[in-house]
Amino acid sequence: MTVLFALFSHVASTAAGNTGVSVLLNGFLYGRASGMAPRAQIAVYKAVYPTVGTLTDVVSAIDQATKDGVDIITLSVGPDEPPEDKFTFLNVFDIVMLSARRAGVFVVQAAGNHGPAPSTVLSYSPWAVGVAASGTDRTYPGSLLLGNGQKVGGVGLSGPTLGDGLFQYKLVLAKDAVKINGTFPRTPQYIEECQFPEALDRNVVLGSVIICTFSDGFYNGTSTLTAIVDTARILGIMGFILVANPTYGDFIAEPIPFAVPGIMIPSVADAKVISQYYEQQIQRDGRGFVTKFGARAAIGDGRVSSFKGQAPIVSRFSARGPDFIDIDKNPADILKPDILAPGHQVWAAWSPISALEPTLKGYNFALLSGTSMATPHIAGIAALIKQYNPLWTPSMIASAISTTANKYDISGEPIMAEGSDNLYPSTPFDFGAGLVSPTRALDPGLVLSSGYDDYISFLCSLPNMDPAIVKNSTGELCNHSLSHPANLNLPSVTISSLAGAQLLRRTVKNVGLKPEKYLCSVMPPNGTLVNLNPPWFTIAPQGTQDLDIQINVTQAMNNWSFGEIVLTGSLNHIVRITLSVLFQYPHEN
């Protein structure tokens, strides 16, 4: 059995929840869910509370979990911004993770949700596996059918209005239903956001579909969808639509289970379609008050899943590399994030108390998105690998996950990533080594291993590093340093300042049961020539082999350039080592 460390129900059940559990909300069965490692034991350490969450509490929890002998720590929590320490690797949070790694614990950490801007990762160190998030091919498309036959797509996990779309209801803009003589503030929350039922005329909205507008309150986080649902229930509103506001632009909408029919229209262009139809169908008097509501609409069922389209795609929110070494974001010789896993719209268990999310109060399941949701997928896969290979060290597990990852989507095309307003071909700074491949990771053929002493040597080799800082942070002396930080034996090669030529070394170990012959090949980063020595080798079970990597600059590029080393085994093992290089330009005099 493998023991996990998890921080809340959603994360714990993703990593190690029971298999085949029915996901039932508001009387609707969404399917069945299973944890990644259903037979693993879970140890939960409560460190974050609804009122406060301190670094001290989280560090104490990690220490306690390590003392208790857990095999894996999954951290869907951490600092929300770069540390103020001189070196990112030496902040308190990363040092306590190093201590856990020293004790033989596999540490997996959410990369952060500040994407898609570069250098937004919040997982810095080589001893923790930083996880990026992607979507899957499952979506929950909602629809709004207007009285003129137009159909507008949207988002929402609710049932349809009565009649299942065949019967349409009066469409009312919240502004047009506000009580004329009401004694309440004339703020967006009362006037257009449907937050307060006392502001609306029940006679106007009863049995209607009401249009609420994404305005100041939603933009500032003070208005909620829960309040709209409550307003609909109190006033007998048949359903609601939350539309985008041109003043604030498109908004990001995630499927949320509504107890009443509801749909979010996050696109300003789609919101204008609804507005134009609405205005064409109503009549107003000279003061602008509506005298006749002629618009009609019905909300379709938003609970039925659809499986089509590109997948995986790196999620927009998922934090990006390159990794950085200090608060000034000078690049580091470490690839971050490390790996990609599903983290967009993940079903998992939820506490009905729901202290932090009133929209989900009373539910036993939640559909959530974030790198926090991707992280326990890797933790559960690591648990399976650990049970299958109980003698493997954390770095061996991390290597197996990285070198067997997939860089292509379900159509065989390169994985794409969501930018601010478009898709673009992703790079290792979006997905790390690629999308995790659990089955292949169980039998990787070769692994690259690093230990605690190697991490200390890595720290001591960092540019401008004072050995006294390493001693104060870790208690260790800088007796040995790597010739270059990129010589840390990781399942990737990252050089943040390549000038002329650089010779590096990686050491692989055969974890298979038979001798195997490997052919070495390389797809060099643009602007480089990469030579591998030896070009091929035969390696015995549990044997090791050094691989020298000579990288020469042939044409300096203006930005990071990527490639990979591929070791192809005679027993069908394929080991991929990602290459990332940034060229150094000479300083002008």
Side-chain angles (χ1 to χ4, degrees):
M1 292 294 183
T2 300
V3 183
L4 298 163
F5 168 80
L7 289 180
F8 57 101
S9 301
H10 201 277
V11 168
S13 64
T14 300
N18 291 334
T19 184
V21 177
S22 297
V23 179
L24 190 66
L25 278 84
N26 296 323
F28 186 84
L29 179 64
Y30 286 89
R32 300 185 184 277
S34 301
M36 300 303 294
R39 297 189 64 186
Q41 298 176 14
I42 301 175
V44 177
Y45 299 79
K46 189 172 181 65
V48 178
Y49 298 81
T51 54
V52 66
T54 68
L55 180 60
T56 300
D57 289 334
V58 176
V59 167
S60 297
I62 295 173
D63 273 342
Q64 188 61 54
T66 303
K67 290 177 182 177
D68 290 343
V70 304
D71 294 304
I72 298 159
I73 292 179
T74 177
L75 292 166
S76 290
V77 65
D80 197 39
E81 57 186 16
E84 295 183 358
D85 305 72
K86 182 175 181 181
F87 293 99
T88 52
F89 306 121
L90 294 178
N91 70 86
V92 173
F93 194 64
D94 281 69
I95 290 301
V96 74
M97 288 191 290
L98 176 59
S99 298
R101 190 70 173 258
R102 183 183 190 183
V105 180
F106 179 90
V107 181
V108 56
Q109 179 187 19
N113 298 326
H114 295 302
S119 290
T120 48
V121 288
L122 295 173
S123 174
Y124 312 108
S125 301
W127 47 82
V129 175
V131 186
S134 74
T136 67
D137 62 345
R138 183 191 62 203
T139 59
Y140 290 95
S143 62
L144 176 71
L145 183 62
L146 301 177
N148 61 359
Q150 286 182 288
K151 193 173 184 179
V152 181
V155 178
L157 283 181
S158 80
T161 47
L162 290 178
D164 201 17
L166 298 177
F167 185 81
Q168 296 191 324
Y169 297 85
K170 180 175 66 172
L171 192 60
V172 178
L173 182 66
K175 285 183 178 180
D176 293 331
V178 173
K179 293 177 180 177
I180 298 175
N181 299 318
T183 56
F184 48 81
R186 299 285 160 168
T187 62
Q189 289 90 333
Y190 284 87
I191 301 300
E192 58 186 355
E193 293 184 347
C194 307
Q195 297 295 293
F196 298 96
E198 62 268 25
L200 302 176
D201 188 335
R202 180 183 176 87
N203 294 326
V204 175
V205 300
L206 180 64
S208 71
V209 172
I210 191 169
I211 302 173
C212 313
T213 304
F214 184 99
S215 194
D216 186 65
F218 284 102
Y219 186 78
N220 294 320
T222 55
S223 294
T224 67
L225 291 165
T226 303
I228 296 181
V229 172
D230 291 342
T231 297
R233 281 173 161 170
I234 292 170
L235 297 179
I237 296 172
M238 182 57 63
F240 71 87
I241 311 166
L242 178 63
V243 299
N245 186 337
T247 302
Y248 298 99
D250 296 350
F251 66 90
I252 296 174
E254 293 290 345
I256 297 174
F258 299 131
V260 301
I263 187 170
M264 294 178 282
I265 309 295
S267 163
V268 170
D270 289 338
K272 287 182 178 179
V273 170
I274 299 170
S275 177
Q276 289 172 358
Y277 163 71
Y278 177 80
E279 292 297 333
Q280 289 169 358
Q281 301 299 319
I282 63 172
Q283 295 178 10
R284 299 183 184 274
D285 61 19
R287 298 174 300 170
F289 296 129
V290 176
T291 57
K292 180 182 178 181
F293 290 94
R296 296 290 184 269
I299 296 172
D301 197 330
R303 302 169 298 183
V304 181
S305 56
S306 173
F307 295 87
K308 56 185 178 181
Q310 283 182 278
I313 295 174
V314 180
S315 301
R316 174 179 175 175
F317 58 78
S318 187
R320 308 308 209 255
D323 192 11
F324 48 96
I325 198 171
D326 53 32
I327 195 171
D328 296 322
K329 294 195 172 182
N330 291 308
D333 296 299
I334 300 293
L335 177 62
K336 290 290 177 177
D338 293 89
I339 195 70
L340 181 69
H344 187 224
Q345 298 183 14
V346 175
W347 280 114
W350 191 254
S351 170
I353 299 173
S354 197
L356 288 178
E357 184 49 74
T359 305
L360 299 174
K361 190 171 184 179
Y363 295 146
N364 292 312
F365 297 92
L367 186 70
L368 300 181
S369 299
T371 55
S372 289
M373 283 66 250
T375 303
H377 283 86
I378 300 301
I381 291 168
L384 296 175
I385 296 172
K386 181 69 173 179
Q387 186 164 355
Y388 190 71
N389 302 289
L391 298 181
W392 282 17
T393 65
S395 62
M396 294 169 72
I397 296 173
S399 173
I401 289 173
S402 290
T403 61
T404 59
N406 189 4
K407 294 181 173 64
Y408 297 91
D409 65 17
I410 57 177
S411 300
E413 299 295 327
I415 294 174
M416 302 292 284
E418 291 179 340
S420 298
D421 53 13
N422 65 329
L423 292 180
Y424 64 88
S426 58
T427 75
F429 292 156
D430 302 307
F431 58 56
L435 180 71
V436 63
S437 177
T439 302
R440 291 169 57 190
L442 288 172
D443 180 25
L446 304 175
V447 295
L448 297 90
S449 181
S450 300
Y452 177 75
D453 290 341
D454 299 312
Y455 298 132
I456 297 300
S457 297
F458 163 78
L459 292 173
C460 294
S461 68
L462 295 175
N464 303 315
M465 174 59 72
D466 184 348
I469 297 178
V470 176
K471 177 66 167 60
N472 292 337
S473 299
T474 67
E476 305 292 341
L477 296 173
C478 281
N479 293 325
H480 302 282
S481 296
L482 303 177
S483 59
H484 190 282
N487 262 320
L488 182 62
N489 199 43
L490 296 175
S492 61
V493 174
T494 305
I495 305 177
S496 62
S497 184
L498 179 61
Q502 183 68 54
L503 178 63
L504 301 173
R505 172 170 289 182
R506 289 295 183 268
T507 302
V508 296
K509 180 178 181 179
N510 183 1
V511 291
L513 299 178
K514 299 178 180 180
E516 189 165 7
K517 181 177 179 179
Y518 281 88
L519 179 66
C520 307
S521 61
V522 62
M523 290 184 285
N526 289 338
T528 70
L529 176 65
V530 180
N531 292 311
L532 305 177
N533 188 38
W536 61 271
F537 58 88
T538 299
I539 186 169
Q542 301 304 308
T544 61
Q545 172 68 49
D546 291 337
L547 181 65
D548 290 330
I549 306 167
Q550 176 77 37
I551 305 177
N552 296 284
V553 176
T554 57
Q555 179 182 357
M557 311 298 287
N558 293 325
N559 211 329
W560 285 89
S561 187
F562 306 98
E564 69 175 358
I565 294 169
V566 181
L567 309 179
T568 305
S570 57
L571 300 179
N572 297 322
H573 292 111
I574 298 177
V575 179
R576 299 181 183 277
I577 300 173
T578 300
L579 299 175
S580 309
V581 298
L582 180 64
F583 300 89
Q584 178 183 352
Y585 285 88
H587 295 288
E588 295 183 1
N589 294 328

